[in-house]
C-alpha cells in the first residue's frame, strides 16, 4: 500500500475503465462475521478492505476514528483518498454527498430502487461519485479489488443493488449469513460497533430488535439476489467460514477470480492477520493484528426460550437461508 504518493486534483468527469476497480461487497445483517471476512480478504496482496464505506461522509462529519485509531480526516490513507475526491473541510459538501447517497441507498428508497423507479439524474450523480470514490481508494492503495462491508444496514440497504445496476464498476456481492440465534445472542450481549447507538439495555428488547433487524436485512438481501444475475451474488454462511475457513475462502476466491492460497496459509498457520484503514465494523477493526477466532458462544450460553422464540419468529426466512434444521 502506498498512501504517500501525490494526489490528483478532484475531477468531475467519469472514471476510465482501467481505473475502475472490482468491488467486493459484503451484504447482510451486522454481527454476521463481516469484519472477520473483510480482514481475511484484506490479506490478499491485490485487495484493500475499507470496512463500511457507506459511513464515510457521516464519519468525516462526526470526526470518528479510522481502524488505524486516527480521526478519519487525519488518517494518511483517507486524507489521500479524500484529496482525490472531495473537500473534507466543506461540511455542506459532505452533507450533500451523504444525502445523495441516502436518497439512493436507504431502506425507504429500496422499493423504488428495486422497481427501477429511482430518479435518473440522481442515480447518474450517485454513480459518478461512487466510481470516483472507489477509483481513488484503488489508486491510493494500489489494489485492483476493494472490499466494502457496509452490509444491509437501514441507511444503505440498496447499496449493493445500486452499485451493481447504476455504476460501471464490476461488483461482486457476498451475501454473508449467520444463524440468527448467534446474531441475537451477540446483540443481547451488547457486542458490535461502538458508534451505533445502543437503543435498549434490556436483553429482551435487544432480542426483539435483533429478530426484526436480521429478518428485514436478510429479506432485502434475498430480494437483491433475485433481481441480479446469478453470477453477481454468492451466499456464504458464517458457520462454514468457521468450520472450514480454507475451503470457504477458496470458494470466495473462485467467485471473485482471485487465488486465495496465501490467505488460506495464513489461516492454517494461525498467523496474525493485518488489518487496515477500516470504517465502521466492530471493535476488531482497532486491532492492528488479530487471530482468526470465530464466536460460537450462543450454542452453549443462549437460553433455550430465546432460541425457540427466534426460530418461531423467523421460520420461513431461516429455512430459505439453510438453517431449517
Ligand atoms: Zn486510517
Amino acid at each position: 500500500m502506498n498512501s504517500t504518493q501525490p494526489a490528483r486534483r478532484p475531477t468531475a468527469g467519469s472514471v476510465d475503465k482501467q481505473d475502475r476497480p472490482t468491488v467486493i461487497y459484503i451484504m447482510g445483517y451486522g454481527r454476521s462475521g463481516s469484519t472477520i471476512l473483510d480482514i481475511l480478504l484484506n490479506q490478499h496482496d491485490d485487495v484493500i478492505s475499507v470496512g463500511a464505506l457507506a459511513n464515510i461522509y457521516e464519519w468525516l462529519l462526526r470526526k470518528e476514528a479510522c481502524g488505524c485509531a486516527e480521526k478519519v480526516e487525519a488518517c494518511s490513507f483517507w486524507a489521500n483518498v479524500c484529496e482525490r475526491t472531495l473537500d473534507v473541510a466543506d461540511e455542506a459538501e459532505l452533507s450533500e454527498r451523504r444525502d445523495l447517497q441516502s436518497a439512493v441507498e436507504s431502506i425507504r428508497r429500496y422499493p423504488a430502487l428495486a422497481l427501477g423507479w429511482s430518479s435518473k439524474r440522481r442515480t447518474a450523480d450517485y454513480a459518478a461519485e461512487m466510481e470516483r470514490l472507489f477509483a481513488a481508494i484503488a489508486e491510493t492503495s494500489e489494489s485492483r479489488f476493494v472490499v466494502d462491508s457496509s452490509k444491509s444496514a437501514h441507511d444503505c440497504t440498496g447499496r449493493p443493488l445500486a452499485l451493481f445496476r447504476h455504476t460501471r464498476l464490476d461488483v461482486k456481492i457476498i451475501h454473508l449469513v449467520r444463524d440468527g440465534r448467534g446474531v441475537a445472542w451477540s446483540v443481547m450481549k451488547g457486542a458490535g460497533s461502538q458508534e451505533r447507538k445502543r437503543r435498549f439495555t434490556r436483553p429482551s428488547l435487544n432480542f426483539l430488535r435483533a429478530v426484526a433487524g436480521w429478518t428485514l436485512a436478510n429479506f432485502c438481501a434475498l430480494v437483491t439476489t433475485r433481481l441480479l444475475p446469478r453470477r453477481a451474488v454468492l451466499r456464504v454462511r458464517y458457520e462454514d467460514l468457521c468450520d472450514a475457513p480454507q475451503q470457504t475462502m477458496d470458494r470466495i476466491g473462485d467467485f471473485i477470480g482471485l487465488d486465495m492460497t496465501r490467505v488460506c496459509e495464513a489461516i492454517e498457520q494461525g498467523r496474525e492477520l493485518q488489518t487496515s484503514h477500516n470504517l465502521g465494523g466492530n471493535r476488531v477493526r482497532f486491532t492492528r493484528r488479530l487471530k482468526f477466532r470465530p464466536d460460537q458462544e450462543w450454542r452453549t450460553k443462549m437460553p433455550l426460550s430465546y432460541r425457540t422464540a427466534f426460530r418461531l419468529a423467523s421460520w420461513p426466512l431461516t429455512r430459505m437461508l439453510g438453517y431449517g434444521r
Side-chain angles (χ1 to χ4, degrees):
M1 183 190 307
N2 179 357
S3 57
T4 56
Q5 60 180 273
R8 281 186 197 165
R9 255 182 333 113
T11 55
S14 62
V15 176
D16 292 337
K17 190 172 189 300
Q18 70 272 12
D19 294 330
R20 295 198 294 265
T22 294
V23 174
I24 304 168
Y25 193 92
I26 303 179
M27 172 173 77
Y29 189 61
R31 300 175 182 83
S32 299
S34 61
T35 307
I36 290 288
L37 179 57
D38 176 279
I39 292 168
L40 286 173
L41 289 165
N42 190 56
Q43 305 314 300
H44 196 288
D45 291 341
D46 274 342
V47 178
I48 175 82
S49 295
V50 292
L53 185 60
N55 291 335
I56 186 163
Y57 306 123
E58 191 63 28
W59 250 231
L60 285 164
L61 284 163
R62 281 165 38 185
K63 307 198 182 308
E64 296 283 2
C66 167
C68 69
E70 293 279 1
K71 301 277 184 211
V72 177
E73 79 264 26
C75 155
S76 60
F77 175 79
W78 287 110
N80 204 326
V81 169
C82 291
E83 271 182 54
R84 296 163 199 263
T85 54
L86 73 150
D87 180 0
V88 291
D90 187 343
E91 293 201 358
E93 185 188 343
L94 291 173
S95 300
E96 199 179 297
R97 292 193 184 207
R98 178 198 56 193
D99 295 346
L100 170 64
Q101 185 183 297
S102 177
V104 175
E105 299 177 349
S106 77
I107 194 158
R108 282 191 305 119
R109 303 297 180 123
Y110 188 76
L113 179 73
L115 293 165
W117 294 347
S118 302
S119 146
K120 282 201 169 66
R121 188 172 165 186
R122 185 187 291 150
T123 49
D125 288 348
Y126 166 86
E129 187 176 316
M130 287 300 135
E131 287 179 15
R132 283 199 297 273
L133 179 60
F134 278 99
I137 292 168
E139 195 178 358
T140 303
S141 61
E142 297 181 345
S143 306
R144 290 187 299 127
F145 295 79
V146 178
V147 180
D148 178 353
S149 54
S150 300
K151 305 176 283 295
S152 304
H154 63 88
D155 42 6
C156 62
T157 309
R159 188 171 172 85
L161 183 59
L163 289 173
F164 190 96
R165 268 194 185 161
H166 296 298
T167 72
R168 293 168 302 163
L169 296 159
D170 181 19
V171 183
K172 300 280 188 185
I173 300 165
I174 297 172
H175 179 193
L176 185 63
V177 291
R178 180 181 178 188
D179 191 314
R181 293 164 295 182
V183 173
W185 181 240
S186 169
V187 175
M188 288 164 74
K189 287 191 305 173
S193 168
Q194 290 171 320
E195 291 76 12
R196 294 262 178 201
K197 285 181 189 152
R198 298 271 158 271
R199 289 193 195 141
F200 312 114
T201 49
R202 283 174 58 186
S204 56
L205 294 178
N206 278 328
F207 172 78
L208 292 175
R209 184 165 68 89
V211 173
W214 184 90
T215 304
L216 190 59
N218 282 302
F219 173 75
C220 291
L222 281 177
V223 173
T224 297
T225 303
R226 290 279 161 91
L227 291 171
L228 295 178
R230 261 175 191 272
R231 62 179 166 79
V233 186
L234 176 75
R235 189 184 302 154
V236 172
R237 291 172 18 133
Y238 171 75
E239 293 76 13
D240 295 338
L241 189 61
C242 298
D243 295 342
Q246 285 99 328
Q247 290 91 325
T248 306
M249 290 309 291
D250 275 338
R251 207 173 130 235
I252 292 171
D254 288 344
F255 170 63
I256 55 184
L258 278 175
D259 181 357
M260 290 288 171
T261 306
R262 289 188 61 187
V263 178
C264 292
E265 281 171 5
I267 299 170
E268 193 177 355
Q269 292 163 11
R271 254 186 260 156
E272 291 188 332
L273 306 173
Q274 296 271 10
T275 57
S276 66
H277 298 276
N278 284 37
L279 305 172
N282 63 29
R283 290 172 200 86
V284 169
R285 81 179 196 274
F286 292 115
T287 313
R288 297 300 291 156
R289 290 168 158 267
L290 89 159
K291 289 256 172 102
F292 180 57
R293 209 178 287 129
D295 175 13
Q296 302 269 40
E297 189 188 84
W298 72 272
R299 291 182 184 280
T300 52
K301 297 202 172 167
M302 188 181 195
L304 182 63
S305 54
Y306 281 110
R307 283 194 256 170
T308 309
F310 192 96
R311 289 191 77 134
L312 290 172
S314 61
W315 172 75
L317 198 63
T318 310
R319 198 179 166 86
M320 287 168 83
L321 294 172
Y323 296 101
R325 296 185 176 197

